Amino acid sequence: MQAQTMLNSQEEIMSRKKEMRAKAAKIKMRNLALQIIVFIAIFGSWEILSVKKIIDPFFFSSPYSILKQIVEWFISGTSQGPIYVHFVVTFEETIIAFIVGVLLGVIAGYALGRNDILSVIFGPYIQMLNALPRVVLAPIFIIWFGLGMPSKIALGVTLTFFIVFFNAFQGVREVDKNLLNNARLLGANKRQLAQHVILPSALTWILSSLHSSFGFALVGAVVGEFIGSTKGLGFLIAQAQGAFNTTGVFAGMVLLSVTALAANWAVSKLEKRFIAWRHIRQ
């Protein structure tokens, strides 16, 4: 009798899981369909308005012309060399700036969040630096580091660092005091507190900053390339702008958008993995 009851319970659980998966898949398909409809509505209207000359194609181009330009870049290359070279340069600058900015932001946020003296001493300086428009730093970095990759990485780091820092700082400060006290009562040392209590608790804050911080790392790389460089997608956009090639400008923007979306997808996967790990540890 007991075995039969357990079997029925398991079947009910499996049935509910199946229903939940079917419902989630249905919602996902609905959202995807709505996104496709919005995409078709926006770009279809843009194409029609451009073809009918309601908007001037010289200033606004058209989706077909932009797509044609991207395909031409990949097949024949650009006037400044193969497109993949520019893409790899921008992507490499962004990735390095993102990693360095995240590491520095987490370390500094943890240090100042755990140490009140450091927070009091360095807090005003960090606020002052954060208030500076980062665009004005681009010419200075170019003077210091030249037109190559280091100047773009430096600009990307300045944009990424503060986003991660403030989230890490707040995440460390928001750790439950009772949880810390209980861990200390159980004999946890500083390293164990950091590894098993503070960082896992602050992880949600840190991960939430990664979505926007990668975008800012990309912005830093592109702005640096736009102001002064010899390679990169920002350089291509600057060249297209100088030649009054609106289609080229939009094509560069599309490539940047696709890169940002792909990175956002990767960060989302990383976030799900770490949040699952956090739940298991707790």
Side-chain angles (χ1 to χ4, degrees):
M1 184 67 180
Q2 186 178 0
Q4 183 65 32
T5 303
M6 291 179 62
L7 183 60
N8 292 336
S9 298
Q10 290 178 355
E11 289 178 354
E12 185 178 355
I13 291 172
M14 293 298 294
S15 177
R16 288 182 179 179
K17 286 184 177 180
K18 188 175 181 181
E19 290 177 2
M20 291 175 64
R21 290 194 192 99
K23 185 177 180 181
K26 186 176 180 181
I27 293 174
K28 188 175 181 180
M29 291 299 296
R30 181 203 64 187
N31 294 339
L32 180 61
L34 291 174
Q35 290 172 349
I36 293 173
I37 290 172
V38 171
F39 178 86
I40 293 173
I42 292 174
F43 289 96
S45 300
W46 183 4
E47 181 69 28
I48 292 171
L49 292 173
S50 179
V51 171
K52 298 292 186 181
K53 306 295 183 180
I54 299 175
I55 59 175
D56 193 340
F58 179 81
F59 294 104
F60 295 97
S61 188
S62 68
Y64 176 75
S65 300
I66 295 168
L67 181 61
K68 184 179 178 181
Q69 178 72 80
I70 293 173
V71 172
E72 182 181 341
W73 278 352
F74 276 98
I75 294 176
S76 305
T78 69
S79 58
Q80 288 79 31
I83 184 64
Y84 72 87
V85 173
H86 300 282
F87 181 83
V88 168
V89 167
T90 300
F91 190 73
E92 188 175 354
E93 292 166 351
T94 303
I95 289 294
I96 296 174
F98 175 72
I99 293 174
V100 174
V102 167
L103 290 177
L104 293 178
V106 170
I107 293 171
Y110 177 84
L112 270 67
R114 293 295 297 159
N115 193 309
D116 291 334
I117 296 177
L118 290 178
S119 177
V120 170
I121 294 173
F122 292 102
Y125 296 102
I126 291 177
Q127 294 285 352
M128 179 182 67
L129 292 173
N130 185 47
L132 287 175
R134 245 69 89 210
V135 175
V136 302
L137 296 176
I140 297 176
F141 288 146
I142 290 174
I143 293 173
W144 288 351
F145 303 115
L147 295 175
M149 194 176 292
S151 59
K152 318 306 182 296
I153 293 173
L155 185 59
V157 169
T158 61
L159 287 166
T160 304
F161 168 80
F162 292 101
I163 299 173
V164 179
F165 166 79
F166 287 116
N167 277 270
F169 177 83
Q170 192 64 30
V172 170
R173 287 295 179 97
E174 291 292 331
V175 176
D176 190 352
K177 302 299 181 184
N178 294 326
L179 188 62
L180 286 172
N181 293 332
N182 290 336
R184 290 191 182 99
L185 288 174
L186 292 173
N189 55 34
K190 290 184 178 181
R191 183 186 63 81
Q192 290 171 331
L193 282 175
Q195 182 179 354
H196 299 289
V197 179
I198 299 173
L199 288 178
S201 298
L203 194 59
T204 303
W205 289 81
I206 296 171
L207 288 173
S208 66
S209 68
L210 298 185
H211 293 280
S212 54
S213 60
F214 186 90
F216 277 99
L218 182 61
V219 168
V222 172
V223 169
E225 292 170 354
F226 198 85
I227 293 176
S229 66
T230 57
K231 293 178 182 178
L233 295 178
F235 171 71
L236 283 183
I237 294 174
Q239 292 293 309
Q241 182 191 37
F244 296 98
N245 181 9
T246 309
T247 302
V249 173
F250 276 113
M253 292 169 60
V254 169
L255 292 176
L256 290 175
S257 300
V258 171
T259 304
L261 286 174
N264 187 69
W265 175 83
V267 170
S268 297
K269 293 294 182 182
L270 183 68
E271 183 177 8
K272 288 180 180 179
R273 179 181 178 184
F274 274 93
I275 287 176
W277 165 81
R278 179 170 176 250
H279 290 318
I280 293 172
R281 290 295 295 269
Q282 290 179 347

